[in-house]
Amino acid sequence: MNLVASEKVKKMSASIFQEVANLKLKAIKAGMDVIDLSVGSPDFPPPPFVVDTLIDCASDSSNYGYTLTGIPEFNHAVSYFYKQRYEVDLNPESEVLQLMGSQDGLAHLATAIINPGDYVLVPDPGYPIYEASVNIAGGVIYPMPLLAENKFLPMLEEIPLDVLDKTKMMIISYPGNPVTALADQSFFEKVVTFAKQHNILVVHDFAYSELIFDGNPQLSFMSVPGAKEIGIEFNSLSKTFNMAGCRIGYVVGNEQAIDILASFKSHIDYGVFYPIQKAAVRALTSDFTFLKTQVNEYELRRDVLISGLEKSGWYVAKSPATMFVWAKIPAGWKSREFAFELIDQAGVAVIPGDAFGDLGEGYVRIAMVQPPERLSQAAERIHEFLMEYSRNK
Ligand SMILES: Cc1ncc(COP(=O)(O)O)c(C=O)c1O
């Protein structure tokens, strides 16, 4: 048989994550100790009470049927969480939809909303599913550059009017991945006005809502007046409660958008495993001391990594949030060359910035998914790597 992928699939670039994983494996096989800072999968465990709930429910054999959708208790738990954490009121019946991880919703939303030829404003650099989902739907991507000199916020006023006439949706994420910047209230207000003016659905990805450092405010897009009229917000238990492998997340906000996505999803999946839903309810309605401890640990990791890199003369911006450092690489390097050499020569795996869009060139993304000692060791290895490079230049 001669089987060829569809044009849509062919359009998706081969996963750079896979390429990095292969190089990592090769280095390990060659006897190298690799410090893996590539994938953003938390190394912290979920809170013990969440694991206990999961085990209790999983030991009841009546809990193994299709759930079809989220249990009402889950929607109420999300509504409670949003009120407690972000001062946002949500109607649990109509403004909350459970997902198999926020990736599920992000991957399917464009197909549910976009017709071929519709434009979608997508951040560059941005999390890869944003672009892939629009390609799957046959939409047209209009990249919004996120530049350091603009505090990584898109310049909405620079988007041509003829593009806006054809635009149905825009995607933003603060704090995001790989760009860890935060947005302020005034930017979100500007987005609401802009979206209303041009009849655009705003999709805010808030997957890192609980990894915000230095006492910065945790600003949900939904907390901005008028946001629900034009927008939705994706969130997840993956990073907040270290339940990435459980595949549970949710989207909140605009009823119409949620209804459309729910209807599309009813054809695609049959719901999340009941014990996982119950564990998620337990997490979302806990007392949140866990979140405070966790954010402090990530903050410590960030400080250890950044100060370690500074010792080698590599000054990278301090992430205000997330589990990543978005690091501008030293002059003279291309992202891929730098990342690949770093695995090969130093045994440190990071992701080259161009994996996230053209404007990611010149950067690497470092995931803080190892304890401080390992991050400090990684910084030392990078120091030696850079010294060696400057000696041989
Ligand atoms: C910005 C961002 N959004 C969404 C996701 C998807 O997360 P999940 O599907 O586990 O909720 C990720 C995962 O890394 C992410 O970094």
Side-chain angles (χ1 to χ4, degrees):
M1 187 164 94
N2 183 17
L3 195 60
V4 186
S6 70
E7 293 307 315
K8 278 179 184 166
V9 168
K10 276 199 236 159
K11 223 170 155 186
M12 294 174 185
S13 49
S15 168
I16 182 73
F17 293 89
Q18 194 52 51
E19 216 173 320
V20 169
N22 292 344
L23 284 172
K24 188 186 91 181
L25 218 63
K26 196 172 142 213
I28 292 170
K29 274 191 188 150
M32 211 170 202
D33 164 49
V34 175
I35 305 177
D36 189 357
L37 310 178
S38 59
V39 181
S41 188
D43 60 316
F44 289 117
F49 51 83
V50 169
V51 179
D52 290 346
T53 308
L54 185 59
I55 292 171
D56 280 353
C57 290
S59 62
D60 180 345
S61 61
S62 70
N63 288 336
Y64 282 73
Y66 290 126
T67 52
L68 299 178
T69 59
I71 56 174
E73 217 183 326
F74 176 86
N75 290 34
H76 281 271
V78 170
S79 171
Y80 172 81
F81 186 78
Y82 256 65
K83 183 72 184 166
Q84 299 299 313
R85 304 297 296 172
Y86 318 121
E87 290 176 37
V88 170
D89 289 305
L90 294 172
N91 179 336
E93 268 95 47
S94 57
E95 293 177 340
V96 178
L97 175 69
Q98 186 181 91
L99 301 167
M100 294 180 147
S102 54
Q103 187 88 356
D104 164 25
L106 287 164
H108 292 125
L109 181 72
T111 302
I113 304 270
I114 295 300
N115 286 312
D118 287 339
Y119 275 56
V120 181
L121 310 179
V122 176
D124 176 12
Y127 183 57
I129 193 62
Y130 304 157
E131 194 177 308
S133 67
V134 179
N135 282 331
I136 294 167
V140 182
I141 291 159
Y142 186 85
M144 295 186 291
L146 304 188
L147 303 173
E149 60 261 37
N150 299 331
K151 299 187 182 157
F152 296 105
L153 300 173
M155 295 287 100
L156 302 178
E157 54 284 355
E158 286 176 8
I159 303 171
L161 267 179
D162 63 318
V163 168
L164 293 175
D165 286 345
K166 292 178 266 183
T167 299
K168 202 166 177 191
M169 191 166 105
M170 71 185 284
I171 306 175
I172 52 174
S173 181
Y174 294 97
N177 168 17
V179 172
T180 63
L182 293 166
D184 58 12
Q185 174 93 11
S186 73
F187 172 73
F188 279 162
E189 283 169 358
K190 197 167 142 186
V191 171
V192 171
T193 309
F194 170 82
K196 280 187 180 171
Q197 193 181 352
H198 300 287
N199 194 31
I200 293 173
L201 174 71
V202 179
V203 176
H204 183 234
D205 183 356
F206 204 29
Y208 297 94
S209 60
E210 291 296 334
L211 300 185
I212 297 179
F213 310 138
D214 308 317
N216 280 306
Q218 294 173 269
L219 196 59
S220 161
F221 181 62
M222 290 299 122
S223 68
V224 175
K228 271 195 222 171
E229 289 163 46
I230 45 80
I232 53 176
E233 183 163 273
F234 285 95
N235 211 324
S236 171
L237 284 93
S238 295
K239 324 285 169 161
T240 300
F241 295 104
N242 305 321
M243 294 171 72
C246 292
R247 310 310 302 131
I248 188 157
Y250 53 92
V251 57
V252 301
N254 185 271
E255 285 187 17
Q256 261 183 303
I258 284 186
D259 197 40
I260 293 170
L261 185 58
S263 142
F264 181 44
K265 262 179 61 67
S266 71
H267 296 277
I268 289 178
D269 65 71
Y270 290 139
V272 174
F273 186 39
Y274 182 79
I276 290 174
Q277 296 206 37
K278 290 292 278 188
V281 169
R282 181 73 183 87
L284 291 165
T285 54
S286 60
D287 71 1
F288 310 130
T289 44
F290 169 82
L291 298 178
K292 179 88 192 116
T293 312
Q294 170 155 283
V295 80
N296 289 340
E297 295 199 36
Y298 273 113
E299 205 174 302
L300 171 70
R301 286 178 175 196
R302 178 205 58 181
D303 292 344
V304 165
L305 180 64
I306 302 255
S307 61
L309 294 177
E310 270 175 14
K311 283 187 205 139
S312 62
W314 187 14
Y315 294 93
V316 304
K318 222 174 181 185
S319 315
T322 80
M323 59 203 293
F324 305 109
V325 169
W326 183 233
K328 199 167 175 39
I329 55 177
W333 288 95
K334 288 291 227 184
S335 296
R336 274 179 200 229
E337 180 198 13
F338 184 82
F340 295 169
E341 287 282 308
L342 203 58
I343 303 180
D344 198 48
Q345 306 293 320
V348 178
V350 300
I351 299 291
D354 64 325
F356 304 96
D358 291 345
L359 292 179
E361 179 52 55
Y363 286 83
V364 291
R365 191 198 71 178
I366 310 175
M368 300 185 282
V369 290
Q370 301 274 347
E373 314 77 71
R374 281 294 261 179
L375 291 172
S376 171
Q377 200 183 358
E380 277 165 30
R381 289 189 193 179
I382 292 170
H383 174 61
E384 279 164 32
F385 169 79
L386 290 173
M387 294 290 284
E388 188 64 27
Y389 168 72
S390 60
R391 271 197 293 271
N392 296 333
K393 219 168 34 171

